[in-house]
Amino acid sequence: MEKYVINGGNKLYGSVEIQTAKNSVLPILAGTVLTDDKVKILNVPNITDAKNMVKILTKLGCKSVLSGDDLIVDSSHADCYEIPRELAHELRSSVFLLGSIISRFHMAKIAYPGGCDIGLRPVDLHLTGLKRLGVEITEENGYIICKCDKLKGNEIMLDCPSVGATENIMLAAVKAEGTTVIKNSAREPEIEDLQRFLNCMGAKVRGAGTGTIVIDGVKTLKGCEYLPISDRIEAGTFLIAGAMCGGEIELKRAYAENISSLLHKLRENGCKIHLNNDKIILENHRRLTSVKSIETQPYPGFPTDLQAQITALCCICKGQSIITENLFETRFKYVPELRKMGADITVINRNAFVRGVERLNGATVVAHDLRGGAALVSAGLCAEGRSEVLDISHIDRGYGSFEYKLRALGGDIVRVSV
């Protein structure tokens, strides 16, 4: 068990390089099962979610070698179609492997996946899509069991633009017989990244980034070398931390078009933002003004994965804000922790009513999930006095070398064993 100890009040200055996107790397790793050739993924982030995905691949019979930050996966000896309960419960994204495993073995058995406790995230859309491709699905003793004689392309209409369901169907359909059309597909940059990766392997996928994705099935896929996109959520987290603490920070390998909804809000707050190719520079030397209303939406709307962080920022802005969470019903679990630091927040149903205070005060708080934990770290960095953030294993799921990057910017934060 480890915690962060933070002495708040330092302004942040300097530059930091944004890691490869967690939400791209995980489905891409799942996609390595689709070929017998070696696949090299560059700049794999040092996060526990990626490590857990590699553990699952190993359980399936794949071999992986880490060379620096690059991961080589060899699935030529994969011989298992079951993801055991203990691994599935560690990683929500284990569900991505359903499509890949079914495509390879025409069989799959997976325990219901775990991950952050931020509300119900049913896999119904995943299973409905797979059924449309010819998969028979049964459920018993907490396991999802899938089998088919062969996968056949079909038209699939998603009830909502689910990122996970879109990616799972893409992974299943690339080697299906015929053409698959996914309508009302998710449009996130990570969907486009998965399309680029699959096409690099020889797939025929088009339309990612729009509401309709078309996949012409191919018989085989080949190995490749691929660099996934940078992590827009990590970039957003650092921008918000910079806005809260004040100072001037530069993000390298950060792409404004992928977080334009956040940049718009930060400019409304009063931050100065400069863009230079793959760099974003944020400058703030004063108390910011609240944005009246923020609502999470599917991409290109404001991301739910930055909701906790932007709420923490609103806590110290002049004025009042209403934060509406439209995607996950229990994603305000971090709010009582911010209240321990002096935040003035009232939650009613899916709305958080935030009244800005002049400053937050250091306190001992608990990270209940990945993004809420990151918000508490930012709050601790700008708070007056000493803070401790407990249960930081949640934060390690998605942020690699988090404290080192923050220290490089001037933050007073250390990791301590409990």
Side-chain angles (χ1 to χ4, degrees), residues 165-179:
T166 298
E167 292 174 332
N168 216 348
I169 295 166
M170 290 170 68
L171 290 166
V174 286
K175 292 170 71 176
E177 183 180 289
T179 298

Side-chain angles (χ1 to χ4, degrees), residues 117-118 307-315 321 323-325 329-355 360 363-369 371-373 375-376 379:
D117 182 14
I118 55 173
Q307 179 259 99
Q309 299 93 310
I310 199 76
T311 301
L313 171 60
C314 290
C315 289
S321 301
I323 316 295
T324 303
E325 174 54 58
E329 66 278 359
T330 62
R331 203 155 202 174
F332 287 123
K333 285 191 170 184
Y334 63 89
V335 167
E337 307 304 314
L338 284 177
R339 286 200 195 108
K340 294 177 186 177
M341 305 179 78
D344 186 352
I345 310 174
T346 302
V347 175
I348 301 175
N349 298 323
R350 289 179 177 263
N351 299 301
F353 298 87
V354 184
R355 291 160 290 277
L360 297 174
T364 298
V365 294
V366 180
H368 294 291
D369 60 69
R371 306 307 176 183
L376 295 175

